[in-house]
Amino acid sequence: MELLVHICCGPCLIYPYKILKENNFNITGFFYNPNIHPESEYNLRLGSAQLYLKKANINMIEERYNSNEFFDYISDNEERNKRCSLCYELRLKKTAKIAKELNFEYFTTTLLVSPYQNHGNLRQLGEDIASKTGVKFFYYDFRRGFVNSRIEARENNLYLQKYCGCSYSIKERKINAVTRL
């Protein structure tokens, strides 16, 4: 079974990779994250993904960095819930589009490993996009592997980010840190 997996970063691929292999998927990675800001952060996450993919012997398709895609897509929807939903949609649509073009049977995302992401929203978007494209969405709640993935990432010297990725999440993280003081 051919599966294109959207990868947000190397550490988030660790546990999903194990589950996907156990389920007999032939995996190809897809790194598409126009939401990540600044570009230096994008490059750190891309490098981390490349290191893990090389170790796991997984091929990867990389979409060139273009943050304008993200800002154009979420335009006038900067409130967190709307913005995050649109960000998921942007990346899942592109993953399904590439999967269809390259004749993959399934697509999924490593966003499903994070306890910080809205799984209900991700699942619904994935299923809606699947019904429109004809490429099946593989949903699995990978969250139980999140902590162990972080530990394994540290052991393998993979870059671990401190925020979701977009410029808005940097700002929100700073505000929350100040509020906790």
Side-chain angles (χ1 to χ4, degrees):
M1 296 183 294
E2 298 292 322
L3 180 138
L4 186 63
V5 58
H6 165 262
I7 301 168
C8 59
C9 65
C12 287
L13 178 59
I14 293 171
Y15 184 70
Y17 170 68
K18 291 174 184 176
I19 297 300
L20 295 168
K21 287 304 281 181
E22 287 173 7
N23 283 280
N24 298 313
F25 282 106
N26 184 21
I27 302 161
T28 299
F30 180 54
F31 196 85
Y32 173 66
N33 298 290
N35 59 303
I36 298 175
H37 185 82
E39 189 170 358
S40 58
E41 178 72 17
Y42 175 90
N43 290 328
L44 288 169
R45 293 181 193 204
L46 173 61
S48 179
Q50 289 169 328
L51 282 173
Y52 188 77
L53 289 160
K54 184 176 181 179
K55 178 183 176 185
N57 197 28
I58 301 170
N59 290 326
M60 182 176 76
I61 300 165
E62 177 193 347
E63 193 75 16
R64 200 175 62 188
Y65 181 69
N66 181 356
S67 61
N68 289 334
E69 287 180 74
F70 168 71
F71 290 112
D72 290 347
Y73 203 79
I74 66 150
S75 179
D76 297 324
N77 291 290
E78 296 164 4
E79 183 266 316
R80 189 173 197 276
N81 288 336
K82 289 179 185 174
R83 176 187 80 234
C84 293
S85 182
L86 288 169
C87 184
Y88 299 154
E89 181 181 73
L90 172 67
R91 293 186 283 166
L92 288 176
K93 276 184 174 179
K94 183 72 152 204
T95 305
K97 178 181 183 273
I98 297 298
K100 185 172 182 77
E101 288 173 3
L102 299 177
N103 296 313
F104 284 86
E105 188 177 353
Y106 293 89
F107 73 101
T108 194
T109 179
T110 60
L111 292 167
L112 294 169
V113 78
S114 174
Y116 304 107
Q117 305 304 331
N118 183 328
H119 275 244
N121 192 354
L122 279 165
R123 185 177 194 169
Q124 187 63 56
L125 284 166
E127 290 171 358
D128 290 348
I129 293 165
S131 70
K132 292 174 184 164
T133 62
V135 181
K136 298 173 191 165
F137 179 65
F138 180 78
Y139 175 80
Y140 188 93
D141 188 346
F142 297 116
R143 289 178 286 193
R144 75 183 103 208
F146 180 76
V147 172
N148 287 338
S149 288
R150 307 302 275 183
I151 292 167
E152 190 173 329
R154 283 184 192 89
E155 290 170 354
N156 287 286
N157 297 314
L158 296 180
Y159 173 71
L160 291 161
Q161 63 273 8
K162 306 283 189 260
Y163 61 100
C164 183
C166 71
S167 56
Y168 303 99
S169 66
I170 297 170
K171 183 178 176 181
E172 289 166 355
R173 182 170 173 75
K174 288 177 182 176
I175 289 169
N176 289 336
V178 170
T179 305
R180 280 185 250 138
L181 294 176

